[in-house]
Amino acid sequence: MAAENNLQAIIAHAKEYGFVFQSSEIYDGLAAVYDYGPWGSELKKNIRDFWWKSMTQMNDNIVGIDAAIFMHPTTWKASGHVDNFSDPMIDNKDSNKRYRVDHLIEAFADKLKEENKEDAAKSLLSEMEKLEANVDYDGLKKLIIDNNIKCAISGTCNWTDIRQFNLMFDTKLGSVTDEADTIYLRPETAQGIFVNFLNVQKSARMKIPFGIAQTGKAFRNEIVARQFIFRMREFEQMEMQFFVRPGTEGEWYKIWKEERLKWHLSLGISADKYRFHDHVKLAHYAKEACDIEYEFGFGFKEVEGIHSRSDFDLKQHQEYSKKKQQYFDADIDAATGKPYGNYIPYVIETSIGLDRMFLLILSNSYQEQTLTKEDGSTDIRTVLNIPAKLAPNKLAILPLMKKDGLTEIGKKLLEECKSSFKCFYEEKDAIGKRYRRQDAIGTPFCVTIDFQTQEDNTVTIRHRDSMTQERIAISEVKNLVLNAIL
Ligand code: ATP
């Protein structure tokens, strides 16, 4: 299936089965804002919980926080977001359509690739990265003109100069409309971690190296919002800042790069679908940075960033708040025989978008399988083979008929399992139809209760991916599911 169609099929499936709806759809929606439905909110929660557990439960030197979305406005001055959190934009004078410069050039490079002009595409992208690294906007505009890159709507090359556009949403605190009261909806969760660095270090008695993790909403006024929940204006991040002794950041950067890729692969997703993209353009304070990219239907795209941020953020907050952001390291430095003493720690950051991870899981698991029936005719099965631990619903309990005591057995199994994992109970419709509905929402196990169950306490358990069925004791069902979702 073509890439775009595949995304269209996923969007349609996500709506039909209660994963993702357009926000305020009855009013024709709000661009780049989405709501999660009954199964979507379960899947999203499971991804968030899996990340949270892997950070704060599996690492005894990482703790969590839950900071507010609103922060003192000086936070964003100190972090550089007020002055620098912007994307270079260019407008087409004939259509008035605004483009992000990198998106415009990348889309043209994709076209070149489709025409088998791989080398031209590569050299265009590398030239773009060089110009971006030098913040050379005249050069970028020239690159667009020289390559005759046109607006998709007007078809012309009549471009404005390139300008910066700040991505932060602002609002007013209280009723006074004074500029001093302007506050921002946070564009990243990280700053809530930085301003709480000493609160956390002292209250949780953390010793360097240690990390602080947080999940929560972030807001960006993205100009070009496309590709469904890949680029949203309101989204959720899962970020972890790891504070280390200066001089050790290189080795910790490597460790976190590996750890994060391992996390992705632990979900059973094929390694071919992932690659690292090392940044050429580094923020002036950054020492190293890379993206973990996943191959979506529309190409390899960033899902997660890993950044070695030096002591930039804490130093900035120290300067703007006039409050020391130092840590006292009592460990002995072998070189001097004395404690390392006071310093501002360096930071390695891992930052992943929850909604992008959600799209990754949907894209990776969505399948339309052609099945051949016994009579030779074919049928399409739409299935989401979501990893069992993330699946929104773990077990469907399906009495074959709504009579003769089968309901009671089913309800009893439901009572036994529902406090341990999410179950779904259904008595209506032919069993084949019920299986298909569970396949479509990614339920890894279905249990059918029939008349034999009454005789020997066994049930048929059906496995989603292989569609194989086996007879097992009803008493074994709970443990089988628990083992699969560990
Ligand atoms: P991009 O280059 O795609 O705009 P970014 O480099 O600005 O992303 P970061 O600031 O590093 O992204 O944010 C960390 C993560 O947050 C990204 O890897 C992505 O998963 C997620 N993210 C960022 N912007 C959005 C958005 N508009 N919608 C959904 N997720 C986002």
Side-chain angles (χ1 to χ4, degrees):
M1 191 183 293
E4 265 316 298
N5 287 343
N6 181 259
L7 183 63
Q8 289 316 316
I10 290 170
I11 296 171
H13 189 85
K15 180 176 174 192
E16 187 179 350
Y17 287 94
F19 283 87
V20 182
F21 308 126
Q22 204 181 8
S23 159
S24 5
E25 193 191 277
I26 58 166
Y27 295 106
D28 296 332
L30 185 64
V33 185
Y34 291 90
D35 298 337
Y36 288 84
W39 297 123
S41 52
E42 291 289 342
L43 173 58
K44 192 174 171 199
K45 180 185 170 299
N46 292 345
I47 298 172
R48 190 193 297 112
D49 288 350
F50 176 55
W51 181 89
W52 186 256
K53 182 178 172 190
S54 72
M55 284 292 175
T56 67
Q57 193 172 320
M58 304 308 285
N59 291 290
D60 52 14
N61 59 355
I62 299 182
V63 289
I65 62 162
D66 182 5
I69 286 171
F70 290 140
M71 299 183 72
H72 192 285
T74 311
T75 308
W76 305 109
K77 197 77 198 142
S79 66
H81 284 79
V82 171
D83 296 326
N84 300 320
F85 192 55
S86 46
D87 281 332
M89 301 287 168
I90 193 164
D91 293 27
N92 184 271
K93 289 186 203 164
D94 298 321
S95 66
N96 290 326
K97 177 140 174 73
R98 180 166 292 169
Y99 293 86
R100 239 175 83 168
V101 169
D102 55 345
H103 288 170
L104 183 69
I105 299 174
E106 279 165 10
F108 186 73
D110 285 345
K111 245 182 22 213
L112 290 175
K113 281 184 204 156
E114 277 167 26
E115 292 163 11
N116 292 326
K117 297 177 184 158
E118 283 283 339
D119 290 348
K122 242 191 206 158
S123 85
L124 177 68
L125 291 176
S126 94
E127 185 61 18
M128 176 186 83
E129 290 195 342
K130 263 190 244 148
L131 293 165
E132 280 181 335
N134 295 328
V135 199
D136 181 352
Y137 293 154
D138 290 342
L140 279 165
K141 182 173 176 185
K142 190 167 176 302
L143 189 70
I144 291 171
I145 307 273
D146 289 352
N147 281 276
N148 202 19
I149 301 178
K150 293 186 178 126
C151 165
I153 294 174
S154 67
T156 71
C157 219
N158 192 9
W159 297 109
T160 61
D161 285 343
I162 292 173
R163 280 170 304 189
Q164 292 283 3
F165 182 92
N166 196 296
L167 299 180
M168 281 199 295
F169 286 101
D170 59 30
T171 184
K172 300 280 176 209
L173 196 63
S175 56
V176 197
T177 52
D178 186 326
E179 184 153 346
D181 296 310
T182 297
I183 55 167
Y184 299 99
L185 295 183
R186 66 180 178 200
E188 62 175 29
T189 56
Q191 297 304 323
I193 292 180
F194 288 124
V195 300
N196 277 300
F197 163 65
L198 284 178
N199 281 339
V200 174
Q201 187 269 317
K202 287 181 178 147
S203 60
R205 307 183 59 218
M206 304 307 285
K207 277 187 72 183
I208 272 182
F210 75 92
I212 306 177
Q214 172 166 226
T215 70
K217 289 273 176 144
F219 304 83
R220 296 183 187 178
N221 197 2
E222 300 278 4
I223 287 305
V224 190
R226 22 168 226 190
Q227 285 144 353
F228 193 36
I229 55 172
F230 182 82
R231 189 169 301 285
M232 302 158 91
R233 297 204 164 102
E234 173 180 340
F235 58 101
E236 202 165 328
Q237 287 186 315
M238 307 191 284
E239 297 198 297
M240 193 278 298
Q241 325 296 134
F242 199 74
F243 299 90
V244 305
R245 189 179 291 150
T248 62
E249 67 277 7
E251 85 200 56
W252 281 110
Y253 175 74
K254 268 201 211 98
I255 290 171
W256 278 110
K257 224 174 134 172
E258 269 169 36
E259 280 298 309
R260 292 308 302 149
L261 185 61
K262 256 197 238 160
W263 181 85
H264 286 268
L265 299 181
S266 76
L267 289 168
I269 300 168
S270 157
D272 312 342
K273 299 289 276 179
Y274 282 102
R275 72 178 186 197
F276 282 115
H277 173 244
D278 294 315
H279 288 199
V280 177
K281 180 189 173 193
L282 287 177
H284 62 278
Y285 53 81
K287 303 204 86 182
E288 285 178 281
C290 70
D291 300 330
I292 295 181
E293 295 185 337
Y294 170 83
E295 189 178 21
F296 289 94
F298 44 89
F300 271 101
K301 299 282 173 205
E302 168 181 349
V303 190
E304 172 157 9
I306 297 148
H307 313 122
S308 177
R309 297 179 67 104
S310 74
D311 55 359
F312 173 79
D313 301 85
L314 288 178
K315 226 180 189 166
Q316 287 290 101
H317 288 306
Q318 172 166 291
E319 192 184 320
Y320 278 76
S321 68
K322 308 273 179 281
K323 311 244 165 47
K324 278 215 160 17
Q325 297 298 308
Q326 284 183 342
Y327 169 84
F328 180 76
D329 191 337
D331 283 0
I332 302 297
D333 179 353
T336 63
K338 291 185 187 144
Y340 284 98
N342 280 312
Y343 57 77
I344 298 180
Y346 272 41
V347 170
I348 308 299
E349 163 181 88
T350 72
S351 173
I352 175 169
L354 175 51
D355 313 85
R356 256 185 221 182
M357 190 62 202
F358 185 105
L359 183 59
L360 185 160
I361 295 293
L362 275 194
S363 308
N364 200 68
S365 60
Y366 181 86
Q367 288 183 13
E368 288 173 15
Q369 298 171 345
T370 306
L371 306 179
T372 309
K373 294 194 211 161
E374 273 170 19
D375 65 4
S377 64
T378 57
D379 188 14
I380 303 281
R381 170 173 97 124
T382 304
V383 58
L384 296 180
N385 59 6
I386 302 175
K389 67 173 93 179
L390 299 184
N393 181 47
K394 314 296 185 196
L395 175 70
I397 300 169
L398 312 172
L400 206 54
M401 276 182 253
K402 196 181 172 178
K403 58 178 190 187
D404 298 333
L406 301 187
T407 302
E408 285 69 24
I409 301 175
K411 289 260 162 85
K412 193 162 163 253
L413 181 61
L414 177 65
E415 283 310 310
E416 191 193 323
C417 294
K418 75 179 185 192
S419 63
S420 302
F421 46 81
K422 180 94 181 146
C423 303
F424 179 83
Y425 180 89
E426 191 176 49
E427 296 161 338
K428 244 178 59 202
D429 286 339
I431 194 70
K433 258 196 188 162
R434 285 188 263 167
Y435 282 156
R436 288 302 170 82
R437 282 201 291 264
Q438 294 305 313
D439 287 343
I441 61 165
T443 305
F445 303 104
C446 292
V447 149
T448 311
I449 292 150
D450 55 20
F451 295 115
Q452 198 185 324
T453 312
Q454 287 177 318
E455 284 164 23
D456 62 6
N457 284 322
T458 63
V459 289
T460 301
I461 190 154
R462 174 191 183 262
H463 300 258
R464 175 196 65 200
D465 299 342
S466 59
M467 288 188 285
T468 52
Q469 303 187 6
E470 53 177 327
R471 202 81 202 171
I472 63 168
I474 196 162
S475 57
E476 286 173 27
V477 172
K478 185 174 169 186
N479 270 341
L480 186 146
V481 178
L482 280 175
N483 284 336
I485 62 176
L486 257 185

